[in-house]
Amino acid sequence: MSRLTKIAIWGTVLAAGGIAAGLAHTGKLPLLKKPGSGEAPVATANTASLAAAVSVDIVGMEKFADTLLVTGTLVPRDEILVGPEVEGLRVIEVLADEGDKVKKGQVLARLASDTLDAQLAQNDASQAKAVAAIAQAKSNLGSMEAKLVETRNAYDRGKPLRGSGVISESVQDQRESAFKSAQAALGAAQDAIRLAEAERAQVLAQRRELDWKRSRTSIMAPADGIISRRLARVGAFGAGAADAMFRIIANGQIEMEAEVPETRLARLREGQVVDMDIPGAPGLKGKVRLVSPEVEKASRLGRIRILVDDHPGLRIGAFARGTVTIEKSSGLGVPSSAIQYADTGPTVQVVKDGKVEVRAVKLGLTYGARTEVVSGLTDKDMVVARSGTFLRNGDAVRPIAQTRSEASVDRKVTP
């Protein structure tokens, strides 16, 4: 062994002795003497003093809620299109505007009725003409009936006289011809009455149509609601039912339409409560009203509808966000960082009597920083808040409890 090597070894020994003496002086290492010897005391480590300090979380009961964040657009639950039912009439008055609350039967606008009024007057004249035609046809029918009776009697009287030779055959033939002509004339008179009555029925049908058109010159709301759009303008001509003069949100009910991944769609149900986050309308609640049975095959998204509480700040077409409460539970909670995952399942590191104990656990709901533990832990257990591979089962540790706010036992965790 060279001289330099010996010097290095002695230097290391002296340094170690100095460190040990210093620790013994501070109380970190107790000075022990070998029994039966008079040698100087030797320093040994105190495992409790040198144990690693770890932050622990005290297990306690917590409230959990399985939630799903959805985003979408505000739309009417049912939108009513109100347009003119009569074509070609000019708008002369508009009585409602966007944002107005309207009641069923309320007049929203009026159309010009001059043309219809003229047609109604013409229809009145046609009705009078039809009534006169019926009366004339009935009068003619009476005359034809009398003539038929007369010609029948003359024909019947001539039958026995023709055989005795009192009257000639030509006279009897004339009587028979007159009788048959009277029968035909009677049938024509009856047909004339039926024709006059049909014409009158046609005029009455036209009258009903005109009355209906006249009543539709007042554009009325078909249901209670809020006018979301007004397209009616004074002086414009309605082109028929396809042109909407007004758009009404039926009963003022507004919904949020959103799309949800198919993996979460199966957990949504009608009636689930939704906490809404809508600009200009804070604190609103909603309910899942519709879960579509169809998933769009390209995007793998399904559609849902959430009925939102009434609020004057709601605007259709606006962006909206909501948190759907899918499931609620109450159980023991630990920080999500305290859980380790292995092939055998999830585990946590419990600190008991100053040593680490690895326990298998069964997990429940998990959100953000907190996870529910269904089994494997008991109330007041201490778990390592941030578990890691540097700790092993049986390692001595020095637990440091988290602050009261961090270890609260009655908190509701949201994503």
Side-chain angles (χ1 to χ4, degrees):
M1 183 180 296
S2 67
R3 184 179 180 184
L4 292 177
T5 303
K6 290 179 180 180
I7 293 174
I9 292 173
W10 278 106
T12 303
V13 172
L14 291 174
I19 294 173
L23 290 174
H25 179 72
T26 59
K28 297 299 182 179
L29 287 177
L31 295 177
L32 300 178
K33 291 184 179 181
K34 183 182 284 188
S37 69
E39 297 179 0
V42 179
T44 61
N46 186 331
T47 56
S49 300
L50 295 180
V54 294
S55 295
V56 295
D57 187 273
I58 302 174
V59 177
M61 294 297 295
E62 303 182 18
K63 296 177 182 178
F64 291 88
D66 185 3
T67 59
L68 173 64
L69 180 64
V70 294
T71 58
T73 304
L74 296 180
V75 296
R77 174 175 177 174
D78 293 306
E79 187 175 43
I80 303 173
L81 304 181
V82 181
E85 298 180 65
V86 183
E87 297 182 6
L89 298 182
R90 182 170 48 86
V91 179
I92 60 173
E93 191 175 10
V94 178
L95 303 175
D97 207 344
E98 295 178 359
D100 290 351
K101 290 185 177 181
V102 296
K103 295 292 185 180
K104 181 179 180 180
Q106 180 177 334
V107 178
L108 307 179
R110 287 192 175 90
L111 305 178
S113 60
D114 299 347
T115 303
L116 294 176
D117 291 339
Q119 292 177 354
L120 286 170
Q122 185 178 0
N123 183 265
D124 289 338
S126 298
Q127 283 192 59
K129 182 179 179 181
V131 170
I134 292 173
Q136 183 179 4
K138 287 182 177 180
S139 176
N140 189 35
L141 177 63
S143 175
M144 292 301 102
E145 288 176 344
K147 187 174 183 181
L148 177 63
V149 172
E150 179 184 354
T151 54
R152 180 189 294 117
N153 292 336
Y155 175 64
D156 291 340
R157 288 194 302 268
K159 288 181 181 178
L161 297 177
R162 179 181 179 182
S164 61
V166 175
I167 60 174
S168 63
E169 291 185 5
S170 60
V171 173
Q172 185 62 15
D173 291 341
Q174 290 176 357
R175 291 181 178 182
E176 182 179 3
S177 177
F179 172 61
K180 291 181 178 180
S181 297
Q183 285 181 320
L186 179 62
Q190 292 172 341
D191 291 340
I193 292 178
R194 285 192 287 269
L195 178 61
E197 289 177 344
E199 290 179 350
R200 183 173 181 270
Q202 182 179 4
V203 172
L204 291 176
Q206 292 174 349
R207 178 58 181 240
R208 287 192 295 270
E209 181 183 3
L210 291 172
D211 288 339
W212 175 84
K213 287 183 176 180
R214 183 65 176 79
S215 66
R216 294 305 187 271
T217 56
S218 294
I219 308 300
M220 294 181 290
D224 296 352
I226 300 174
I227 296 178
S228 61
R229 185 177 300 180
R230 188 204 81 174
L231 300 176
R233 297 291 184 270
V234 175
F237 285 85
D243 268 358
M245 299 174 66
F246 299 91
R247 291 178 179 264
I248 297 178
I249 304 172
N251 300 314
Q253 292 182 322
I254 294 178
E255 295 182 330
M256 182 180 81
E257 186 176 58
E259 292 182 330
V260 178
E262 62 177 341
T263 54
R264 302 304 302 272
L265 191 67
R267 302 199 63 192
L268 295 178
R269 298 288 184 273
E270 294 181 8
Q272 289 174 334
V273 178
V274 184
D275 294 318
M276 304 303 301
D277 181 10
I278 302 173
L284 289 184
K285 296 288 185 180
K287 273 188 179 179
V288 177
R289 184 187 68 84
L290 173 68
V291 179
S292 175
E294 179 184 4
V295 174
E296 211 284 319
K297 61 183 180 181
S299 63
R300 316 310 302 176
L301 297 175
R303 184 173 54 87
I304 65 170
R305 287 262 188 149
I306 298 172
L307 185 61
V308 185
D309 292 343
D310 187 23
H311 191 278
L314 297 180
R315 299 288 185 269
I316 61 174
F319 171 80
R321 179 169 52 191
T323 303
V324 184
T325 301
I326 299 175
E327 181 183 353
K328 290 184 177 181
S329 67
S330 180
L332 300 177
V334 299
S336 299
S337 58
I339 302 170
Q340 288 185 318
Y341 296 91
D343 295 339
T344 56
T347 61
V348 296
Q349 295 173 333
V350 180
V351 177
K352 187 174 183 181
D353 298 330
K355 292 186 177 181
V356 174
E357 179 183 326
V358 178
R359 288 188 193 176
V361 292
K362 183 179 179 181
L363 304 180
L365 303 179
T366 301
Y367 296 96
R370 307 297 295 181
T371 299
E372 180 187 12
V373 176
V374 178
S375 63
L377 294 177
T378 59
D379 195 17
K380 304 302 182 183
D381 277 346
M382 289 189 299
V383 298
V384 178
R386 292 183 179 274
S387 61
T389 57
F390 62 89
L391 291 177
R392 295 290 185 269
N393 193 26
D395 286 354
V397 294
R398 183 159 45 91
I400 300 176
Q402 294 185 0
T403 63
R404 182 178 181 84
S405 61
E406 293 174 313
S408 175
V409 296
D410 188 23
R411 60 191 157 217
K412 178 178 179 181
V413 181
T414 56

